[in-house]
Amino acid sequence: MCAAWKRARGVRENAEVRHLLDDPAWHALIGPLAPFATGMGAARSVSSEHSFFSALDPGIDAAAAAGDLEAIVEPGARGVFVGVDIVVPPGFDEIGRGTALQMVLVDHDALGSTAVTSRRRVHAGGAPPLELVELVELGTADVADMLALIDNARPGPFLARTIELGTYMGIRADGVLVAMAGERLRLPGYVEVSAVSTHDSQRRRGLASLVVAEVATRALARGDTPFLHVVETNVTAIPVYERLGFRRRRTVEFVAYTRAVGEVGSS
């Protein structure tokens, strides 16, 4: 591929070799989550009924990808990029940027042993008693309860159809959904554990460990490696994930944007 051809098409010169997890949304939206995505060429966006993620081809200069993003994002609409070294293309305004720690499940033995310990903690002397605690796979009939739990725990964006992106597990205590976790970004060989939530009234009982362990165990059985994102200041959650066998990989960016009114690239 000649240098002039690369420049004409916005291909990055001397681009470093990037891991799939450096651009998880892109590889998810052109891969396993393609049925939920719109776009072609150098830009993709997930259905607004399912989530907020957009992605640009990491091998293409952001300015060269602007036209493809314009084709799928209406003026005034918002989206979120996730990855490494994110550049918002011309014609789109950055409205927020934050970082998160990306952690990948490495120690499978820790996952199993911590799950056993979590089950013991859940059933050790606290209310509700053993017979009223139930670990269940969640479905569309559970969405109202899931949204109520999200409203209480506030782990991050979760929409009525987010459940369709992957498997979600929950814990019901006396019939009430008090904890859950599930899958969001799915890319070749990897799956993101997301929406980890515990009701305020049920914290410090090991419920989060139990649902994360169940989601991760099911992913491993399919041949996928679980990973997750957690705010670096969340000093409560990070040790929990480390005990489950997740290890810190790198810091990634979450960048919120909106499409400016007018033509992309106009002055």
Side-chain angles (χ1 to χ4, degrees), residues 12-19 22-23 58-59 84-85 249-250:
R12 292 178 176 176
E13 297 280 358
N14 303 317
E16 63 178 86
V17 176
R18 296 168 72 93
H19 193 281
D22 291 342
D23 306 285
V84 177
D85 300 326
R249 178 177 176 268
R250 70 174 304 163

Side-chain angles (χ1 to χ4, degrees), residues 4 13 25 29 106 120 157 192 201 247:
E13 297 280 358
L29 295 177
V106 173
R120 290 172 179 165
E192 180 195 28
S201 65
R247 299 294 178 260

